[in-house]
Amino acid sequence: MRIGYYAHHHGSGHCRQADKLAALLPLELRERMTVFTSLSTDGYRFSRITDEQIVRLNAEDQLPEDVLPGRAGKYWQPSSLHYSPVGNKNIQKRSWQLIDEIRKRQIDLMIIDVSVEVATLCRVASVPYLYVRLAGERDDEPHLNAFAGALGLIAPYPKVLEAVSTPDWVRQKTLYLDFMPNKTGELLTFSAFIYQLMSLTTDSTIHERLNSQLDAVNKIDKNKIVTVIKGYGGHDAIDAKLQELRYTLPNALIISLGPIHDEVRDYVDIIAHVDEVTPFIAYSDLLLMACGLNGIAQAYNYATPLVVLPDERPHREQEVMAEALIEQGRALSWAQFIAHMTDESHSNEFLTVSSNKSGLHGHQSYQAAQNFMDSMVAYESVKSWFQDWLLPTLAINVEI
């Protein structure tokens, strides 16, 4: 089958998910996959998808000359759509572009990550599609309509992290692919990681503290490594906690990855922008991070204690993920962390959970995602794939 993948332009995560799935296809079939996105080349650089496989769509931002704005009000806005400006030349062009390229490239099946409007366009044009379900409470009418119009739904996270409020029929129609962390090369040794940290600062005092990490006999609590991971979609909430983090852990070595506000730089020891965060996840004694899908996917299967501080997003996307992680006992909220650290009987215990650097379990099977992509290879017809693979895999029929 020829697969089309629509990747939303907010953040780089949607394009990254397309890249991850493409990596699971044989090379000769990977070349038949097309990504549709309005994200710029600078926004994300694909590693598995070539430029010839990318259709750069017009933006969908509102224009001054629009006849009606994107959210025009109850009696001017279809209840089945989230955003639909009227008279917007760019959206007209991108709609024609989408349908025309689907026809030209003979796309058999679209994967939509994510857009209710693109899903509606595909359904009206009789193009089969799967819809990617993100975490959160997506029980509004537009989402439910998009879910109903799909042949099936894809959740790029484990079923155990599903929102409690998700309707049964949506769960039944969902193929859970589990987390798909970015595939990386061999993990750095702990010593190599410490030397990497040294290369990120010229502070001789910090170098001395890092050198002490290499001597297991002399390693003491004051040299615990705390890594704060922030994305580029927003970091205000985490930066606002850095002062309290420093006061709570005065002797820790605090590393900030990603953007940071100037006024809080003094509360951390090392500030860096890195391409590979896995060593920081594997070898830190504590992680503080938001609950974006890709970040949690990378950290989920490591033993490192995790404190989550979700960003405010539509549909409580990160809040629901955080609640599920906390319920599982995989993470602490900020309030739980502070309460734990101010309790003298537990403060040291929490920071020593991952002190055994050899006790990592970051390896993960990609079997659910691999089975899904293998099915795309095994079937040439969408109809036979739908009837003979997807419906039996989900254990449902079209009358659910």
Side-chain angles (χ1 to χ4, degrees):
M1 289 190 288
R2 293 184 180 273
I3 304 167
Y5 197 105
Y6 174 81
H8 201 282
H9 65 278
H10 283 173
S12 62
H14 306 285
C15 286
R16 185 173 287 109
Q17 286 294 109
D19 227 2
K20 291 177 182 179
L21 287 177
L24 302 178
L25 284 171
L27 183 59
E28 64 273 13
L29 294 176
R30 188 185 308 166
E31 295 171 350
R32 298 169 63 183
M33 182 173 171
T34 300
V35 174
F36 299 82
T37 186
S38 55
L39 187 68
S40 68
T41 304
D42 292 337
Y44 179 77
R45 297 191 181 278
F46 288 89
S47 62
R48 308 290 184 171
I49 300 291
T50 66
D51 289 344
E52 291 75 21
Q53 295 171 256
I54 304 171
V55 175
R56 299 286 178 183
L57 300 171
N58 276 54
E60 55 184 337
D61 298 332
Q62 289 184 177
L63 300 173
E65 59 268 27
D66 290 351
V67 178
L68 284 175
R71 297 173 179 84
K74 182 177 181 181
Y75 298 108
W76 301 97
Q77 171 78 25
S79 60
S80 59
L81 301 175
H82 285 138
Y83 172 78
S84 56
V86 175
N88 186 295
K89 299 298 183 183
N90 283 340
I91 292 180
Q92 290 173 5
K93 290 177 183 177
R94 70 186 263 120
S95 298
W96 295 328
Q97 189 182 12
L98 256 168
I99 295 302
D100 193 41
E101 290 290 343
I102 287 173
R103 179 186 63 83
K104 284 180 180 178
R105 295 170 184 251
Q106 300 180 320
I107 301 298
D108 297 302
L109 178 68
M110 285 291 292
I111 299 175
I112 300 175
D113 179 8
V114 291
S115 169
V116 163
E117 290 70 37
V118 172
T120 302
L121 180 63
C122 285
R123 182 65 190 237
V124 170
S126 200
V127 177
Y129 72 86
L130 301 173
Y131 197 92
V132 176
R133 287 184 51 230
L134 299 182
E137 298 172 346
R138 300 172 190 273
D139 55 359
D140 54 278
E141 188 172 347
H143 269 117
L144 294 180
N145 281 332
F147 296 167
L151 293 184
L153 307 172
I154 299 173
Y157 52 83
K159 190 173 184 178
V160 293
L161 297 181
E162 184 61 87
V164 175
S165 61
T166 301
D168 287 342
W169 71 268
V170 174
R171 292 172 186 257
Q172 288 179 305
K173 202 172 178 180
T174 298
L175 188 65
Y176 293 91
L177 300 187
D178 297 330
F179 284 132
M180 294 183 292
N182 294 321
K183 287 189 175 181
T184 60
E186 186 175 349
L187 181 66
L188 291 176
T189 64
F190 180 61
S191 296
F193 170 63
I194 294 300
Y195 289 127
Q196 179 186 8
L197 293 184
M198 290 182 184
S199 73
L200 298 175
T201 179
T202 59
D203 190 316
S204 59
T205 302
I206 295 177
H207 280 198
E208 290 178 9
R209 295 172 65 187
L210 288 170
N211 271 317
S212 72
Q213 290 276 357
L214 299 175
D215 186 349
V217 175
N218 295 326
K219 187 167 188 267
I220 54 178
D221 286 345
K222 72 176 184 178
N223 289 319
K224 293 296 184 183
I225 298 174
V226 176
T227 298
V228 181
I229 302 177
K230 293 170 284 183
Y232 292 86
H235 55 98
D236 291 352
I238 291 183
D239 276 1
K241 299 296 187 184
L242 292 180
Q243 182 178 12
E244 189 175 3
L245 179 66
R246 171 53 73 199
Y247 290 164
T248 304
L249 301 172
N251 297 314
L253 181 73
I254 301 179
I255 304 164
S256 174
L257 300 183
I260 186 170
H261 291 303
D262 289 340
E263 60 269 22
V264 296
R265 285 173 172 264
D266 289 343
Y267 299 121
V268 303
D269 298 294
I270 296 176
I271 298 169
H273 299 263
V274 297
D275 294 328
E276 179 55 73
V277 301
T278 304
F280 294 85
I281 292 172
Y283 294 127
S284 293
D285 297 286
L286 177 70
L287 297 173
L288 172 62
M289 60 193 298
C291 275
L293 184 64
N294 282 288
I296 295 300
Q298 288 179 285
Y300 187 71
N301 285 308
Y302 282 91
T304 311
L306 179 62
V307 178
V308 289
L309 196 65
D311 288 334
E312 289 187 14
R313 296 288 174 87
H315 311 288
R316 299 188 68 243
E317 177 182 324
Q318 293 202 10
E319 291 95 331
V320 168
M321 179 70 76
E323 290 165 4
L325 290 167
I326 293 166
E327 178 66 24
Q328 274 197 319
R330 177 60 190 88
L332 292 181
S333 69
W334 179 259
Q336 289 173 325
F337 165 65
I338 293 299
H340 200 98
M341 296 309 298
T342 53
D343 182 344
E344 292 185 2
S345 65
H346 293 108
S347 59
N348 290 332
E349 171 192 334
F350 181 70
L351 281 181
T352 56
V353 169
S354 64
S355 60
N356 178 8
K357 299 301 182 183
S358 62
L360 304 173
H361 55 87
H363 304 290
Q364 178 175 0
S365 168
Y366 298 89
Q367 198 58 53
Q370 188 65 67
N371 289 345
F372 169 60
M373 298 309 286
D374 286 347
S375 73
M376 300 290 180
V377 177
Y379 292 86
E380 294 186 3
S381 158
V382 174
K383 183 176 182 178
S384 61
W385 172 82
F386 175 64
Q387 293 180 341
D388 299 338
W389 188 86
L390 184 61
L391 291 179
T393 299
L394 297 175
I396 59 173
N397 57 53
V398 293
E399 301 298 328
I400 62 168

